[in-house]
Amino acid sequence: MTDILRTARLTLRTPDESDIDRLVELAGDFEVSKMLAVVPHPYERRHAVEWLAHIRATDGKDEQAFAIDDRTGLIGAVSFGKLRETPRIGYWLGRPFWGRGYMSEAAHAALTWLFSSFDTDAVEAEAMTENPASLAVLRKLGFEETASGSCASQARGGAMPSLVLRLERNTFLTTTQEATERETEKELVE
Ligand SMILES: CC(C)(COP(=O)(O)OP(=O)(O)OC[C@H]1O[C@@H](n2cnc3c(N)ncnc32)[C@H](O)[C@@H]1OP(=O)(O)O)[C@@H](O)C(=O)NCCC(=O)NCCS
């Protein structure tokens, strides 16, 4: 069974059938799927059902997916592939929920889970060069660029230039500790 992760504003949990309507609505937005590798456009109910079946077959083995829930329902997802090798993080949020720091919060919780559940030294990510919001999220978490690449996009039916980034376990722990210290200082001042 997947762990349930809680942050100040979000719950990360196993996606289930109750998420299908939200998945179709939010992942069906081309502004979301065009930045992703394996989400088709148009995104129909059957795609959501297939994704849930895929999760059931792979979760906890080679992959792990979490629904991001703002406590009104699913607003996005974060997942890890290649869990037994160098895990690779992927994520998306529905457009109405962008720009509120939600993905930074969700990805931080998911990475904390990853590094405490697996003894991997690092995690990788790939983002299209035309995706500054995702690159900003990754850099804030401590990811650093390692290579240029080419990222397939099912929704676009082609590949886009990308950057491959890597986060070392030690960098993540240091970044997290520094952020906690800054928060503590802020609370003491206020
Ligand atoms: C990428 C995505 C997950 C970001 O989610 P989010 O909750 O809005 O992200 P956050 O609010 O936590 O952080 C976004 C950061 O990007 C910055 N940003 C947003 N748009 C930007 C732009 N056009 N140029 C530069 N920076 C930008 C924000 O200022 C913020 O940084 P800050 O906290 O230092 O101010 C969301 O836009 C999304 O789902 N997009 C479509 C799918 C996708 O791109 N998935 C990732 C594939 S690699």
Side-chain angles (χ1 to χ4, degrees):
M1 200 187 98
T2 307
D3 296 325
I4 295 178
L5 315 180
R6 288 194 177 80
T7 71
R9 298 178 293 173
L10 304 169
T11 302
L12 276 62
R13 56 164 176 80
T14 304
D16 63 33
E17 275 66 22
S18 69
D19 297 318
I20 289 177
D21 289 347
R22 288 272 194 120
L23 281 167
V24 173
E25 178 195 339
L26 300 175
D29 180 349
F30 186 64
E31 292 305 309
V32 171
S33 58
K34 74 177 189 183
M35 296 298 186
L36 303 172
V38 293
V39 175
H41 187 82
Y43 189 84
E44 294 166 1
R45 201 173 172 81
R46 69 188 165 91
H47 296 119
V49 171
E50 280 165 19
W51 184 61
L52 293 174
H54 175 81
I55 287 170
R56 256 181 231 115
T58 56
D59 260 11
K61 299 183 187 114
D62 296 329
E63 301 181 15
Q64 187 70 55
F66 294 96
I68 303 171
D69 189 321
D70 69 350
R71 295 162 191 158
T72 70
L74 176 142
I75 62 167
V78 57
S79 63
F80 295 103
K82 298 186 181 174
L83 272 179
R84 312 285 160 185
E85 303 166 43
T86 301
R88 187 165 273 222
I89 190 169
Y91 48 73
W92 64 269
L93 267 191
R95 200 161 16 145
F97 307 98
W98 293 1
R100 302 184 202 175
Y102 278 159
M103 190 48 76
S104 303
E105 191 170 319
H108 187 272
L111 288 163
T112 303
W113 170 86
L114 179 82
F115 284 123
S116 60
S117 306
F118 295 85
D119 63 4
T120 181
D121 287 337
V123 55
E124 286 187 340
E126 184 170 16
M128 292 172 191
T129 52
E130 66 167 46
N131 194 349
S134 184
L135 289 166
V137 169
L138 293 168
R139 288 181 181 127
K140 272 196 294 178
L141 290 162
F143 279 82
E144 290 175 4
E145 290 160 36
T146 55
S148 301
S150 171
C151 180
S153 166
Q154 216 174 311
R156 295 179 200 241
M160 296 297 291
S162 67
L163 292 173
V164 178
L165 300 95
R166 185 177 166 97
L167 174 65
E168 303 293 335
R169 170 187 287 270
N170 288 342
T171 308
F172 180 67
L173 297 180
T174 309
T175 311
T176 301
Q177 194 179 341
E178 285 170 359
T180 309
E181 283 166 8
R182 274 198 304 277
E183 273 307 304
T184 311
E185 276 169 29
K186 211 172 100 193
E187 276 166 25
L188 288 174
V189 170
E190 281 169 359

